[in-house]
Amino acid sequence: MLSHEPQPSRFLPSYLRRSLYASIIMIAVLLLIAYSVKWIGTAPFLYWDKRIQNIVFPDTAAAHDQLLTVAIFITSFGSFRISLLIALGAATLCWVYLRSKAYSFAILSSFTAMWVLNTLIKGILQRERPSLQHLVEAGGYSFPSGHAMISMGFYGMIFAIWAIERKIRERSLFLPCVLGALLILLIGLSRIYLGVHFPTDIVGGYIAGIIWLAFTVPMIYWQARMRLSSTPRP
């Protein structure tokens, strides 16, 4: 019986093809969402943005004095410099310790794709940031949130690789799933708390990251299985 799975030498072309599909669909979906909102009317979405902001955004000095340092620390994981350092460190670890070029490439490509695509989509849609007092500096446009895209598409890839390594060794997925979901959620909430993003910006960033993972993670999982099956067992 002929196998329909790509051969090991075809991993990179297959991964790049899936990455291209993910990028195209991601852009199309976010543009469709944005123009559908304009067609339907922005009032319902702004209503929910406002309601969520009223819950998350601090309305007293005492409130943000208690949590501001924590929020700034969490949100720093979505900054370019910190995420770049983590990308390089995680890619090196996968290459040296796990001996997986596929993992390293997936991490670096996810980092690059999220930043490039976010800049492109923001430039097309040009949504202004909230008029709230920004508790940290933030430049550029608002939709979709770059921090949300990085948290889902980049950090999501790192946690997916951790989960894949545990799955192929028949270990519990509890830690990578729970810790990954917690980090992604907290980074998104931190951007709302700091007043630099609407909640719908965060949702848009999450959707973009999920599309990326849906196309790329299956290829990484397949490659991991192939690598494990080809490793001699004692």
Side-chain angles (χ1 to χ4, degrees):
M1 180 180 295
L2 294 177
S3 172
H4 295 289
E5 289 186 331
Q7 298 302 310
S9 61
R10 296 288 297 167
F11 166 76
L12 184 57
S14 298
Y15 181 89
L16 291 175
R17 185 167 60 250
R18 283 176 175 253
S19 298
L20 177 61
Y21 294 158
S23 301
I24 293 171
I25 292 174
M26 183 192 307
I27 294 172
V29 167
L30 291 183
L31 292 181
L32 179 62
I33 290 173
Y35 289 113
S36 295
V37 168
K38 288 185 178 181
W39 180 70
I40 295 170
T42 58
F45 300 93
L46 291 176
Y47 169 78
W48 285 107
D49 273 340
K50 185 66 174 177
R51 289 202 64 176
I52 296 172
Q53 282 176 332
N54 287 340
I55 296 172
V56 178
F57 184 74
D59 56 1
T60 65
H64 65 73
D65 280 348
Q66 295 171 2
L67 295 176
L68 181 58
T69 302
V70 175
I72 291 175
F73 173 75
I74 292 171
T75 209
S76 68
F77 284 91
S79 68
F80 180 81
R81 290 182 180 179
I82 298 299
S83 58
L84 174 60
L85 290 175
I86 292 175
L88 295 175
T92 301
L93 181 65
C94 288
W95 191 309
V96 174
Y97 180 69
L98 298 178
R99 300 185 182 279
S100 174
K101 295 180 182 179
Y103 285 168
S104 298
F105 184 80
I107 290 170
L108 294 177
S109 64
S110 297
F111 168 82
T112 303
M114 290 304 97
W115 280 109
V116 171
L117 291 170
N118 180 259
T119 302
L120 175 63
I121 298 169
K122 279 184 174 179
I124 295 172
L125 297 177
Q126 298 185 358
R127 185 188 194 186
E128 296 298 331
R129 291 186 182 271
S131 57
L132 301 171
Q133 177 188 0
H134 296 176
L135 302 182
V136 291
E137 292 185 9
Y141 295 108
S142 192
F143 183 91
S145 164
H147 280 63
M149 280 184 68
I150 280 291
S151 68
M152 183 64 75
F154 167 62
Y155 288 113
M157 177 61 76
I158 292 177
F159 282 101
I161 288 172
W162 184 12
I164 287 170
E165 280 294 298
R166 293 183 70 85
K167 181 175 178 59
I168 62 179
R169 289 169 171 78
E170 300 181 350
R171 297 176 182 173
S172 170
L173 304 183
F174 179 80
L175 276 179
C177 290
V178 171
L179 294 180
L182 184 61
L183 178 63
I184 291 168
L185 176 63
L186 288 177
I187 290 177
L189 287 175
S190 74
R191 302 307 284 171
I192 303 172
Y193 180 88
L194 295 169
V196 294
H197 275 295
F198 296 103
T200 46
D201 298 336
I202 306 303
V203 173
Y206 285 164
I207 291 173
I210 288 171
I211 292 172
W212 176 263
L213 295 178
F215 276 84
T216 55
V217 168
M219 280 298 303
I220 302 301
Y221 177 55
W222 171 83
Q223 178 69 11
R225 285 175 51 210
M226 293 296 294
R227 177 170 55 86
L228 184 65
S229 65
S230 64
T231 302
R233 296 190 178 186

